[in-house]
């Protein structure tokens, strides 16, 4: 549907991706972002084929190509102990062969800058949304009101749009936060890995992900109060921390919340963490936001009734995001398994089975998988 006016609350990965897709469909999009300039929490991201084919599905390859260019492709992942003994190997080449793209490691600020550039939207920084009503009216903290055919709350886990829309308690977070440290190390000679490494132990996990330009994304799940060097992680993590510029070292405190079936009313809906926040254990929160943006854009493209399109989008997304949410919680529970038991399990499981479980969420939904025609040049092939 061209000529649609859309207000998106939140200029994160989800909001900006949706903006780019909708402006390419002829919509007039305004993004309201409460921070003065938003580059995003989290040093780097793994972006998986499910998100990449979501970008491609919009029918305009520009977003796909630009995001692809930011990413360092990875074709396998290793899983093991804190001593860096590897018990399981994930083969990502079948994903690449089937979908034309594999997992990509990228710096979050670079992804955000690219999405801003591609959004085509009127992005208003320093504009905090405090209320929204089903008739498509949005209220800002300044007291100003704006109106649009469609309002999308892409304003993250503490979403003000969600609070305005759903009954009290709907913004509550689930349980204890998932805490950790992460960063992007500049140095190239510490680690020559060409795929992600996941090391389990200490009741948590540590990991490495190669990025473009010889950089490495590292993370540890652990106590948020003390610096990670003091927590008994493998020596390579200490080297990574030492090679990380201070402004690239971040600690995070992440919450989740189970998806609910109805996350919209009238002209309003939710997207990304505002609708379905995920723990980073499956590396899919941003990917789900991109996937949801692509589904929402498709529903709005194919209709003259935007309200019906929003309800269709919510209904189409519920099962998928609930499945991925459950996987993210299962991953947390697996970290509590005694190390010796986990290592034995990994060592006795065939790599094909490990690959199957690891890539479960990374496979594109059928609607987008079909958009990848054999022989089409989309890059990233092994
Ligand atoms: C350590 C860590 C590692 C992760 N790793 C991965 C990974 O490898 N792969 C992956 O796919 N995902 C990963 N994630 C998850 C991913 O970061 C999130 O799921 C993703 O950022 C969600 O995007 P979003 O646009 O929905 O929300 P957000 O990124 O939270 O963006 C919301 C935006 O809304 C703005 N906002 C908030 N309130 C208001 C308001 N009232 N008015 C206006 N604006 C507002 C915020 O300032 C923000 O810019 C990771 C997360 C963490 C913390």
């Amino acid at each position: 549907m061209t000529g649609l006016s859309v207000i998106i609350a939140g200029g994160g990965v989800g909001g900006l991706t949706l903006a780019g897709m909708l402006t390419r469909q002829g919509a007039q999009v305004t993004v309201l972002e409460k921070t003065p300039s938003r580059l995003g929490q989290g040093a780097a991201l793994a972006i998986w084929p499910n998100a990449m084919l979501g970008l491609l599905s919009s029918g305009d390859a520009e977003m796909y190509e630009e995001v692809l260019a930011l990413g360092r492709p990875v074709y396998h992942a290793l899983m093991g102990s804190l001593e860096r003994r590897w018990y399981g190997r994930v083969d990502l080449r079948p994903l690449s062969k089937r979908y034309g793209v594999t997992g990509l490691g990228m710096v979050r600020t670079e992804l955000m800058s690219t999405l801003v550039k591609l959004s085509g939207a009127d992005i208003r920084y320093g504009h905090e949304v405090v209320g929204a009503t089903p008739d498509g009216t949005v209220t800002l903290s300044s007291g100003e009101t704006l109106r649009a055919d469609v309002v999308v709350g892409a304003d993250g886990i503490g979403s003000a749009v969600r609070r305005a829309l759903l009954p009290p308690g709907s913004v509550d977070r689930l349980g204890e936060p998932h805490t950790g440290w992460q960063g992007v190390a500049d140095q190239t000679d510490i680690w020559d890995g060409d795929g992600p490494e996941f090391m389990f132990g200490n009741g948590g996990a540590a990991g490495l992900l190669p990025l473009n330009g010889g950089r490495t994304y590292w993370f540890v799940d652990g106590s948020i109060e003390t610096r990670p060097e003091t927590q008994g992680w493998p020596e390579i993590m200490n080297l990574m921390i030492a090679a990380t510029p201070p402004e690239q070292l971040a600690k995070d405190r992440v919450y989740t919340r189970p998806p609910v079936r109805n996350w919209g009313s009238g002209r309003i809906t939710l997207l990304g963490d505002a609708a379905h926040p995920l723990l980073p254990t499956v590396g899919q929160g941003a990917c789900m936001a991109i996937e949801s943006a692509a589904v929402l854009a498709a529903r709005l493209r194919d209709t003259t009734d935007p309200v019906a399109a929003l309800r269709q989008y919510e209904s189409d997304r519920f099962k998928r995001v609930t499945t991925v949410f459950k996987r993210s919680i299962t991953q947390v529970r697996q970290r509590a398994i005694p190390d010796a038991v986990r290592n034995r399990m990994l060592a006795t499981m065939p790599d094909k089975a490990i690959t199957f479980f690891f890539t479960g969420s990374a496979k594109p939904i059928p609607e987008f998988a079909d958009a990848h025609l054999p022989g089409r040049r989309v890059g990233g092939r092994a």
Side-chain angles (χ1 to χ4, degrees):
M1 184 181 173
T2 52
L4 195 72
S5 62
V6 181
I7 290 174
I8 300 174
V13 175
L16 291 172
T17 302
L18 179 68
M21 290 174 173
L22 291 180
T23 54
R24 280 165 178 72
Q25 292 174 198
Q28 306 272 328
V29 181
T30 305
V31 176
L32 304 170
E33 166 57 47
K34 76 172 175 187
T35 61
S37 125
R38 163 79 180 161
L39 286 178
Q41 183 197 18
L45 293 167
I47 297 295
W48 297 100
N50 60 307
M52 291 306 293
L53 289 209
L55 292 174
L56 192 61
S57 74
S58 63
D60 176 338
E62 188 187 18
M63 293 182 83
Y64 175 91
E65 297 287 354
E66 291 251 2
V67 173
L68 182 71
L70 299 174
R72 161 93 185 255
V74 290
Y75 296 102
H76 69 266
L78 295 172
M79 295 189 175
S81 66
L82 292 186
E83 294 74 37
R84 297 183 75 218
R85 265 190 224 113
W86 306 119
Y87 297 103
R89 191 172 202 281
V90 177
D91 186 2
L92 298 170
R93 284 170 308 174
L95 271 187
S96 167
K97 284 200 184 89
R98 172 72 183 87
Y99 303 113
V101 64
T102 181
L104 302 164
M106 63 187 71
V107 175
R108 187 188 286 253
T109 49
E110 293 171 4
L111 174 63
M112 293 296 290
S113 304
T114 296
L115 292 177
V116 166
K117 184 184 80 182
L118 295 172
S119 75
D122 172 12
I123 305 178
R124 301 186 195 172
Y125 289 103
H127 283 60
E128 182 181 5
V129 172
V130 292
T133 48
D135 66 349
T137 305
V138 164
T139 307
L140 301 175
S141 57
S142 61
E144 187 187 351
T145 58
L146 299 168
R147 196 142 193 260
D149 296 328
V150 165
V151 172
V152 181
D155 47 348
I157 182 146
S159 173
V161 177
R162 184 184 182 97
R163 194 175 293 115
L165 195 64
L166 299 181
S170 301
V171 185
D172 289 352
R173 296 148 177 199
L174 180 70
E176 289 297 306
H178 183 91
T179 61
W181 291 76
Q182 51 171 318
V184 172
D186 279 340
Q187 223 145 315
T188 55
D189 55 357
I190 302 172
W191 182 60
D192 61 359
D194 58 358
E197 292 182 2
F198 299 97
M199 296 153 259
F200 299 100
N202 258 355
L208 299 168
L209 174 71
L211 303 169
N212 276 339
R215 296 168 294 178
T216 305
Y217 171 57
W218 60 265
F219 71 86
V220 295
D221 291 350
S223 161
I224 196 144
E225 308 309 338
T226 50
R227 280 181 63 97
E229 301 93 307
T230 61
Q231 295 172 14
W233 296 106
E235 183 53 21
I236 192 161
M237 305 312 292
N238 293 339
L239 296 173
M240 287 290 168
I241 293 160
T244 301
E247 71 279 6
Q248 287 278 11
L249 183 79
K251 53 184 176 182
D252 45 82
R253 189 184 280 276
V254 189
Y255 293 84
T256 189
R257 184 178 55 214
V260 295
R261 194 167 273 285
N262 302 313
W263 65 63
S265 173
R267 295 181 179 276
I268 311 185
T269 194
L270 301 174
L271 180 98
D273 278 9
H276 41 71
L278 294 171
L279 294 176
T281 48
V282 283
Q284 275 286 344
C287 292
M288 282 296 121
I290 293 171
E291 208 182 84
S292 287
V295 172
L296 178 52
R299 299 299 170 270
L300 287 169
R301 184 184 58 216
D302 298 339
T303 184
T304 51
D305 180 351
V307 172
L310 298 187
R311 299 299 85 80
Q312 189 64 51
Y313 148 76
E314 292 150 12
S315 155
D316 290 348
R317 291 302 289 157
F318 179 72
K319 195 168 165 216
R320 166 73 165 161
V321 297
T322 303
T323 303
V324 180
F325 166 79
K326 285 181 183 161
R327 286 187 189 133
S328 70
I329 297 294
T330 306
Q331 286 291 325
V332 177
R333 295 196 186 115
Q334 280 171 1
R335 288 173 190 199
I337 296 174
D339 295 346
V341 176
R342 184 189 315 99
N343 293 342
R344 215 173 25 250
M345 274 167 53
L346 280 173
T348 51
M349 235 169 139
D351 284 350
K352 269 199 166 167
I354 295 175
T355 298
F356 177 80
F357 287 118
F358 187 89
T359 57
S361 307
K363 290 180 188 142
I365 58 174
E367 178 176 347
F368 299 156
D370 294 345
H372 173 66
L373 303 173
R376 185 170 174 172
R377 196 201 73 74
V378 289
R381 273 181 198 281

